[in-house]
Amino acid sequence: MTKTLAIAGPTASGKSALALSAAQRWPIEIISVDSALVFRGMDIGTAKPSAAELAAAPHHLIDILDPTEAYSAAQFVADAARLIAEVHGRGRHALLVGGTMLYFKALVNGLDAMPGADPTVRAAIDARAASEGWPALHAELQRVDAITAARLAPNDAQRIQRALEVWQLSGEPLSAWHGRRAMPAMALPMLSLEPGSRAWLHERIAQRFEAMLAAGLVDEVRHLRARDDLHLGLPSMRCVGYRQAWECLDAGDVSPLRERGIAATRQLAKRQLTWLRSMPARTVVACDAPDAPAQALAHLERLLQ
């Protein structure tokens, strides 16, 4: 009997290595749950699996979009549901792996007809409004959601904020959500890799970001900046690491990048862990335990029986 399982956890917790180990033991296809891995040409800063790793097991939802495009939770749920059915049809297990918790939450809880409020996103929009003014944000809304912008006054702060919030959270305009039916919840046994020591995770994050810099992250972002159709307003370029590198290149000084990139990645991990704590049905394995891989594989084996 085919199964659908999930491996979640903060960045740098060992999810990808565990998934590959599982795929070597059982007939598994990996479905990426990562809002950055969908973009082509963004390999180093996303810690995208290598060609050898991609060849070692079937992977899905990697390199499916150009960085100019957006990808929403609703699109992910639809794609994941389709892929799960296809994987099961091949007589294999579907293993969803990643750290984009909004996508996991959409699968596990069902997708609301519209994204809920996000205090962090709202605070960022308010900060921009304080410095740029609501008419400037209304002009931005006009570019991404002309239908909604047309019915709002340039100083309608509350509604402009909500429309931009929905766009930033979902990658889709508010107008596209009207009349949309919510997607149903999915039963999804989840194994979560979470550190007992935050210091352990911070060290892993620092090591990984330093490895990205050594592998050529700055040159990768330079190449992306050379395109005339990419800018910091796009979801792809707001990904952790890329945004900080772009801003440092704008300033003409990449020396602060290591510190800024590590700090931003730590904040991402903190948000991921907060999301995970709101998902009580998960089974937690301490990823900093010496026998963490063995524990995790034993748990997956029990679920697959």
Side-chain angles (χ1 to χ4, degrees), residues 4-229:
T4 302
L5 309 176
I7 298 174
T11 185
S13 60
K15 300 182 297 296
S16 296
L18 175 59
L20 285 170
S21 293
Q24 291 171 359
R25 288 164 171 77
W26 303 292
I28 279 173
E29 297 191 24
I30 297 168
I31 299 174
S32 172
V33 187
D34 191 300
S35 60
L37 292 184
V38 298
F39 295 116
R40 293 185 291 269
M42 296 172 59
D43 303 331
I44 297 171
T46 61
K48 193 169 289 179
S50 66
E53 289 169 334
L54 291 172
H59 286 70
H60 304 280
L61 299 186
I62 294 177
D63 286 340
I64 62 171
L65 295 178
D66 186 81
T68 56
E69 300 176 272
Y71 193 63
S72 68
Q75 289 171 300
F76 168 77
V77 170
D79 285 342
R82 171 181 54 81
L83 287 165
I84 289 168
E86 292 174 359
V87 170
H88 289 176
R90 291 188 282 270
R92 301 171 68 84
H93 305 298
L95 182 61
L96 291 100
V97 183
T100 299
M101 302 307 164
L102 179 64
Y103 292 179
F104 273 128
K105 198 172 184 70
L107 281 174
V108 173
N109 294 347
L111 194 65
D112 291 336
M114 199 173 294
D118 186 305
T120 303
V121 172
R122 289 193 170 191
I125 294 171
D126 286 341
R128 288 188 55 207
S131 63
E132 301 172 31
W134 285 107
L137 270 67
H138 182 268
E140 178 177 321
L141 181 63
Q142 174 68 36
R143 292 192 292 274
V144 300
D145 187 358
I147 294 173
T148 299
R151 62 181 178 80
L152 300 182
N155 284 301
D156 191 341
Q158 182 177 354
R159 291 180 174 84
I160 294 170
Q161 179 199 62
R162 178 57 179 158
L164 287 175
E165 178 187 39
V166 169
W167 164 255
Q168 291 182 27
L169 287 172
S170 70
E172 293 189 294
L174 179 67
S175 55
W177 288 88
H178 293 310
R180 178 178 291 170
R181 296 175 60 186
M183 295 187 180
M186 176 186 295
L188 186 63
M190 179 180 292
L191 174 65
S192 181
L193 299 177
E194 301 175 28
S197 166
R198 194 65 64 90
W200 177 90
L201 184 63
H202 286 177
E203 179 61 25
R204 292 260 299 186
I205 287 170
Q207 291 174 355
R208 190 165 78 160
F209 197 78
E210 287 165 354
M212 289 175 179
L213 291 174
L217 174 61
V218 173
D219 285 339
E220 183 173 69
V221 177
R222 282 198 181 102
H223 179 73
L224 293 166
R225 279 166 52 90
R227 293 178 49 166
D228 59 8
D229 56 351

Side-chain angles (χ1 to χ4, degrees), residues 239-271:
C239 289
V240 168
Y242 290 88
R243 178 173 190 156
Q244 289 73 32
W246 190 296
E247 290 172 343
C248 285
L249 288 168
D250 273 349
D253 181 11
V254 297
S255 61
L257 178 55
R258 177 189 178 277
E259 180 180 349
R260 292 181 186 177
I262 291 172
T265 309
R266 287 181 177 181
Q267 287 299 312
L268 170 62
K270 182 178 179 181
R271 293 193 299 271

